[in-house]
Every structure is written in C-alpha cells, then in structure tokens.
C-alpha cells in the first residue's frame, strides 16, 4: 500500500512540468470591505480573474487609469496591502459536469455539503453571451409546476422567464420549491440559486428536496448571507453556467434565482464601494443590464443547435407590495410574465396566494397541453369577473340568478385553486378537476366540501376513466371519446358524493 | 471638473521640461515644487515622482529590471539576461535592481514593470505543492 503511494507520488512528480511564462503581476494598494485596489496589471480585461498571494480569487471590475478595482471572492481579511496579485488571463469560470447534480456548491463550485470535491475536468465561464436569435425556438412545451393556479391560469413553458414576485412571507420560495419537487420524472434538471439567504433556510430547503427525492436532479448554488457581497453578485451567473452545461447536452433545465432583489442589493454594495456613481435608489446605472444579461441566457434552443432549454424563475421580494420600485419594474419588463403573490390573499387562507388577476404569462396557452387548454378556457376571465362581482355583492343582496350563479362558481374556483405546500398535483388530475369545475359538476357541492370532493374525484376517476388518463398522459391528446368517458365518470361520482 | 490624475501631472512636468538643462532645469524644478505646494499636491509628490520616473524611462527607452535570486548573479548570466531583456522590451538601457534572497532556494525572479518571470525553485516547489494537492 505504502509502496503504491510512493510510486504514484513519483509518477505525479515526474509528470509535473512548469512552463516558463511571463505573468502580469500587480500589488494591492488598498483593501477594504471585500474590494482591493490594485496597481500594475496593465493588460487586464474586464471581468478577468485574478489570484491573490494567499490563494483567494478576485474579479477585476473597475479598470481605471492607474489602478484596477477588484472584488474579492472569499475571505478578504487575510489580504494585506502590498500583496502580490496575479492576472490569470481567464474570465472567471466554475467546474461543471454531471457529478455536480445532487450537490450544494458555492458560486465558485466549491462544495458546501461536505461530500468532497466535485470530480470534473470541465469548466464553464460564468459570463457568457446569451444564445442568438438563430439558435432559438419559440416556447411551446409546458413546464408542469404541479401548482394548479400556475399550470391552468398562468402556464409556463420550457425556455420561459417567469417572475415570482411578492412581499416577504407570501410563499415565493415555497412555490419555487414545489415546482422543483414536481419535476420528478419530467426530464428536467433543476438549479436552485440561493442569494443572500439564511443558512438555516437553505438547510431546510435542501432537507425538503432530499426528502422529496428531488436532489437526484437538482443542484443548489448558494451564496449565504454571511458571505461577501461579491459571491452573491456572481451566484446567479454561476447557476446559469451550470444550467447551460446541461442545456448544451440537449437537456431541459429549470433555474430558480432566490432572490434577485438581494442580488441587486449586493451589486449596489459592490458598485458603491468601487465608487461607481449611484443612480435611482442608489443602484448603479447598469443594474438593468445586470439582470437582463442574466435572464436573457434562459432560452429554448432549436433542434439544429441541440435542443435543450433553460426556464428561469427569478424571485423578487417587494416592500409593502410596492411593485413600482426600481428593481421590480426592471425585472417585470425583462421577464415573460409574472406570478404575483399577495399578503392579503395569504392571510385570507388562499394559498398559494397567487393574485390571478395581476399575474400573467406572455407565452400563454401555447405552453399548455391540448387537454389543459380545453379545460382552462375562460377560467382567468371568470375569476376576474367573480372578484369584481364579489366586491359589488357586498353592498346589497338583490342579485339576479345569473350573478348569484357566477358568485357561487367563483367561490368554488377559488377553493379548487387552493393547494397545500409540498403537494403538487399532476397535470392529468388538474385536467379532471378543472373539467368538473368548468362544466358545473361542483356547483352544488358545498364550498367547505370541495377539497373532499377533489380528493374523492381524483381517486374515483383514476379507477374508472382509464382511457381518458391513458390519452392525456401518453399522447397528451383530448378526444371526444375520452371526454365522454370523463364526463360520465364525474357525473357518477357526483351522484355518489354527499 | 474631472479629477487630474498623478499621471496627467507627471506627463505635464515631463513635457514642459523638454530642452531644459543646467540652471534652467533647476529653476524649472523649483517652480514645479512651488506649483505642487500651491495646488496642495505636495502630499502626492512621491507618487507623482514615481510616475514621472516611469514616463522618463519609457520615453528614453530605459527599463528597470528587478532581479531576485538566491545567490549573486554571475556576470555572464547578467550579460545574457541584459541582451534578452533589451530585445524583449525594446530597451536601450537597463537599470538593475539586484536582490539576494536565500529563501528563493535557487533560480531567479525577474520583474520588469508589472511583468514577472518567476524561475525560482521556491515558486516551482509551490506549484508542485498545488499540483499534488489538486490531484488528491
């Protein structure tokens, strides 16, 4: 055994060669708050990686006349004035590979889960230009999130960027985690990027994903709240580079940025320390580009360029519901739609607290399977009308029959859209439920019994509507035969349900 | 108004000194110091002088080479090195700064402006250390 070690060491030493090369070297002249001002480094490029004497990595962001402003990606307390700083000639890159699946890594690809180094040879630069127009294809494949309110009313397609926005404690992360949990068996790799979150929260999320078997297809990239702002700044770019690696292999990837408000705050901190001029809300002038270049990397590639897609769910936290603040408006304009979560709805017991009136998906029904399209129909409009009528109905009781009917239907729709956390609903079950709802089978079921009805209907239909399930599951088709069967099964179940 | 950098000041001092020698130069130097004092730039004078030195060296084709080695360099090595460096940096003259540091173990380290060619044994051992720990 010991012989083997000596032999392998000898071999390693024999194979080791040092190339003679001239390196560009600078000296740290100022080090403060995760920033270093470095003299020298005359030919350095913007975003180039540099290494400090103690092994820490930095990225050159400000190229000034005499100095270079570098953000330090790691512990800056051990870097001293006068330390040597070497240019590497490379843009910052992270290790990527299939072995990264199931791991928790920091934005530099270093493991945080205590499972040892990521064994891979391949690296991807964290900054890349988004795929061009000719390589793209329109979004027409659904991402089944398992959340009824989203899949039916605000459908998300593979390659889409859908913003999740809401105040604190409205269930933004829960929604994203549910979406990840539902990707089991959906041929999707998930990347969860945690930016400036508490380590306890991350641990909880990891445990939940592990419990749901989701870590088998998920990568977590984390820049914790106690890490320097520079790591939070690069975290989403690292995450999307990992996603691009899988997309380049023709796979579909779902990436969650939790959250971009903290990312913008981290970038603001760095920019102010680098003495870049502050703009609105003290954010630097390029804060729009910060997010647009990130989200533009989410796309669906056409077959000629290997297929594959990156679907992005950026999360934005608003303050007291103010969506007209700088960062929310920026990200709303960049993304292909948004899911609004409201505190009022949350406390009313409507969970997920999705405000279906203000939420949109610009891709729309083209990202829905035919069966879903058929049942979703005018549900969004009906719900909007219900909300309006609900407001009016509070002023008087003299309502005509059709209005009363609409109100009753609305109440049931809201009830059906409610869903427990970590309980994603399969697409085919959603089709059954919304068919029963829109065809009026639930109209005479008491509202408080809707949940019971739902559960019973799913069990009953699974046993009795086999043709319908086969069609929807396998060929995603909606035929008259299947519909007839479903209708009959629902009617039978309604008769037996009390 | 945009900030005037040390480099701007040093360039101005260098350009204005053209064709001045002897008494003229000494009068000029005194005027420069007075100007720096008046504009409250005396505290920056060290940086300005350093920058001025770099500008003068660049203009006159002088290259400052800092060579660190474990033992004193042999004349022949120095001669060969001077030849190579003059060619590499298109220099007319070389100013040597020699440092003997036993910690380097062997070889030499050449520093020209912000470029470093590290051929010391200490650097090789460090690289080997990084290589071996990376392979594990």
């Amino acid at each position: 055994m010991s012989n083997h070690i000596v032999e392998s060491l000898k071999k390693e030493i024999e194979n080791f060669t040092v190339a003679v090369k001239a390196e560009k070297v600078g000296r740290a002249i100022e080090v403060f708050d995760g920033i270093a001002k470095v003299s020298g480094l005359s030919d350095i490029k913007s975003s180039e990686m540099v290494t400090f004497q103690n092994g820490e990595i930095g990225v050159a962001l400000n190229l000034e006349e005499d100095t270079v402003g570098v953000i330090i990606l790691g512990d800056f307390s051990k870097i001293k004035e006068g330390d040597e700083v070497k240019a590497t000639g490379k843009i910052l890159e992270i290790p990527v590979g299939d072995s990264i699946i199931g791991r928790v890594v920091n934005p530099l690809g270093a493991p945080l889960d205590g499972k040892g180094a990521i064994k891979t040879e391949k690296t991807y630069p964290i900054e890349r230009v988004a795929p061009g127009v000719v390589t793209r294809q329109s979004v027409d494949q659904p991402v089944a999130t398992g959340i009824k309110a989203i899949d039916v009313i605000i459908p998300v397609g593979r390659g889409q960027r859908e913003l999740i926005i809401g105040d604190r404690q409205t269930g933004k992360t829960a929604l994203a985690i549910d979406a990840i949990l539902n990707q089991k068996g959906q041929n999707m790799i998930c990347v969860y990027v945690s930016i400036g979150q508490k380590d306890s929260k991350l641990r909880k999320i990891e445990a939940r994903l592990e419990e749901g078997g989701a870590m088998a297809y998920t990568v977590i990239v984390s820049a914790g709240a106690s890490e320097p702002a520079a790591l939070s700044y690069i975290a989403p770019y690292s995450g999307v580079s990992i996603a691009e690696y899988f997309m380049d292999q023709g796979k579909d990837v779902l990436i969650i940025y939790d959250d971009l408000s903290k990312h913008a705050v981290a970038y603001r901190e760095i920019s102010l320390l680098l003495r870049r001029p502050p703009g609105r809300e003290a954010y630097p002038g390029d804060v729009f580009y910060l997010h647009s270049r990130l989200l533009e990397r989410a796309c669906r590639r056409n077959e000629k360029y290997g297929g594959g897609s990156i679907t992005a769910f950026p999360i934005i936290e608003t303050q007291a519901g103010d969506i007209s603040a700088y960062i929310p408006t920026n990200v709303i304009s960049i993304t292909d739609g948004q899911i609004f979560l409201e505190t009022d709805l949350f406390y009313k017991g409507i969970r997920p607290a999705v405000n279906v009136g203000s939420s949109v998906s610009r891709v729309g029904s083209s990202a829905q399977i035919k069966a879903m399209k058929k049942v979703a129909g005018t549900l969004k409009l009906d719900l909007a009308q219900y909300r309006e009528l609900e407001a009016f109905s509070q002023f008087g009781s003299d309502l005509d029959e059709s209005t009363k009917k609409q109100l009753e239907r609305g109440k049931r729709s809201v009830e059906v859209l409610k869903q427990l956390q970590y309980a994603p609903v399969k697409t085919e079950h959603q089709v059954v439920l919304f068919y029963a709802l829109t065809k009026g089978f639930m109209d005479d079921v008491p509202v408080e019994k809707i949940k019971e009805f739902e559960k019973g209907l799913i069990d009953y239909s699974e046993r009795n509507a086999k043709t319908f399930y086969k069609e929807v599951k396998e060929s995603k088709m909606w035929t008259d035969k299947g519909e007839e069967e479903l209708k009959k099964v629902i009617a039978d179940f309604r008769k037996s349900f009390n | 108004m945009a900030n005037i950098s040390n480099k701007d000041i040093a360039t101005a001092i260098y350009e204005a000194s053209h064709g001045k020698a002897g008494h003229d130069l000494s009068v000029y130097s005194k005027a420069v110091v007075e100007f720096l004092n008046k504009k409250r730039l005396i505290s920056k004078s060290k940086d300005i002088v350093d920058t001025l030195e770099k500008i003068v060296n660049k203009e006159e084709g002088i290259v400052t080479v800092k060579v660190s080695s474990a033992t004193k360099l042999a004349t022949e090595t120095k001669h060969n090195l001077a030849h190579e460096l003059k060619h590499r940096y298109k220099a007319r003259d070389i100013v040597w700064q020699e440092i003997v540091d036993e910690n380097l173990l062997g070889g030499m380290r050449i520093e020209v402006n912000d470029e470093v060619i590290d051929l010391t044994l200490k650097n090789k051992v460090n690289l080997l250390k990084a290589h071996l720990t990376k392979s594990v």
Side-chain angles (χ1 to χ4, degrees), chain A residues 23-30 36-44 50-53 66-68 70 79-88, chain B residues 109 111-116:
Chain A
E23 289 174 310
K24 287 283 176 184
V25 173
R27 299 250 170 222
I29 51 173
E30 253 183 278
K37 290 267 175 185
V38 182
S39 67
L41 302 176
S42 54
D43 291 335
I44 199 159
V50 298
T51 52
F52 289 88
Q53 206 170 308
D66 298 317
T67 57
V68 177
V70 173
I79 296 170
K80 304 184 298 294
E81 187 195 344
D83 272 4
E84 216 169 67
V85 186
K86 279 184 192 164
T88 59
Chain B
R109 178 186 155 106
E111 287 176 50
V112 180
N113 300 327
D114 61 350
E115 209 162 65
V116 174

Side-chain angles (χ1 to χ4, degrees), chain B:
Chain B
M1 196 182 84
N3 277 343
I4 299 173
S5 69
N6 293 346
K7 200 173 171 185
D8 293 334
I9 299 167
T11 312
I13 294 172
Y14 174 73
E15 281 176 5
S17 71
H18 265 308
K20 289 191 174 67
H23 180 66
D24 277 0
L25 190 61
S26 125
V27 169
Y28 173 70
S29 303
K30 208 173 162 194
V32 167
V33 174
E34 271 168 19
F35 169 80
L36 293 178
N37 186 33
K38 197 175 151 195
K39 295 285 175 190
R40 298 181 180 180
L41 290 167
I42 282 290
S43 60
K44 287 183 177 178
S45 57
K46 193 186 172 299
D47 293 337
I48 294 170
V49 171
D50 286 348
T51 317
L52 182 61
E53 200 180 340
K54 279 182 194 162
I55 294 170
V56 171
N57 285 350
K58 197 181 166 195
E59 293 294 323
E60 322 256 304
I62 301 167
V63 168
T64 308
V65 180
K66 191 172 153 190
V67 185
S68 316
S69 55
T71 52
K72 203 170 181 309
L73 287 184
T75 322
E76 200 191 334
T77 316
K78 216 168 140 183
H79 180 77
N80 289 342
L81 201 57
H83 179 73
E84 278 301 316
L85 291 174
K86 272 184 186 170
H87 178 70
R88 183 179 170 92
Y89 296 102
K90 296 180 180 66
R92 272 187 283 166
D93 200 6
I94 283 181
V95 177
W96 295 95
Q97 279 182 16
E98 285 181 68
I99 297 168
V100 176
D101 182 0
E102 285 178 4
N103 290 330
L104 299 175
L105 305 173
M108 64 174 116
R109 178 186 155 106
I110 305 150
E111 287 176 50
V112 180
N113 300 327
D114 61 350
E115 209 162 65
V116 174
I117 303 170
D118 199 338
L119 303 167
T120 59
L121 209 52
K122 189 184 173 190
N123 181 45
K124 281 184 188 166
V125 170
N126 282 339
L127 290 172
L128 180 65
K129 184 179 149 194
H131 173 75
L132 289 177
T133 45
K134 194 185 166 193
S135 310
V136 169

Side-chain angles (χ1 to χ4, degrees), chain A residues 178-215:
Chain A
D178 272 359
I180 293 182
L181 287 170
N182 198 50
Q183 300 313 312
K184 205 172 190 174
Q186 307 261 8
N187 190 25
M188 185 86 97
I189 303 283
C190 300
V191 181
Y192 177 78
V193 184
S194 159
I195 309 158
Q197 304 283 349
K198 291 186 282 271
D199 282 350
S200 60
K201 183 181 173 184
L202 181 74
R203 185 72 198 93
K204 229 162 89 183
I205 288 169
E206 190 202 345
R208 189 66 202 91
L209 292 177
E210 194 84 64
E211 199 184 313
M215 282 309 281

Side-chain angles (χ1 to χ4, degrees), chain A residues 145-154 352 368 372 379 415-420 423-426 429-430 433-434 451 454 458:
Chain A
T145 62
I147 299 152
K148 289 180 276 186
I150 297 177
D151 289 352
V152 180
I153 299 170
I154 324 146
Q368 274 180 323
M372 190 65 99
L379 191 64
E415 203 58 29
V416 173
L417 288 172
K418 284 183 190 172
Q419 196 171 336
L420 289 176
V425 180
K426 286 180 187 164
H429 292 158
Q430 293 186 22
L433 292 178
F434 286 97
K451 283 286 150 207
E454 265 184 46
I458 287 172

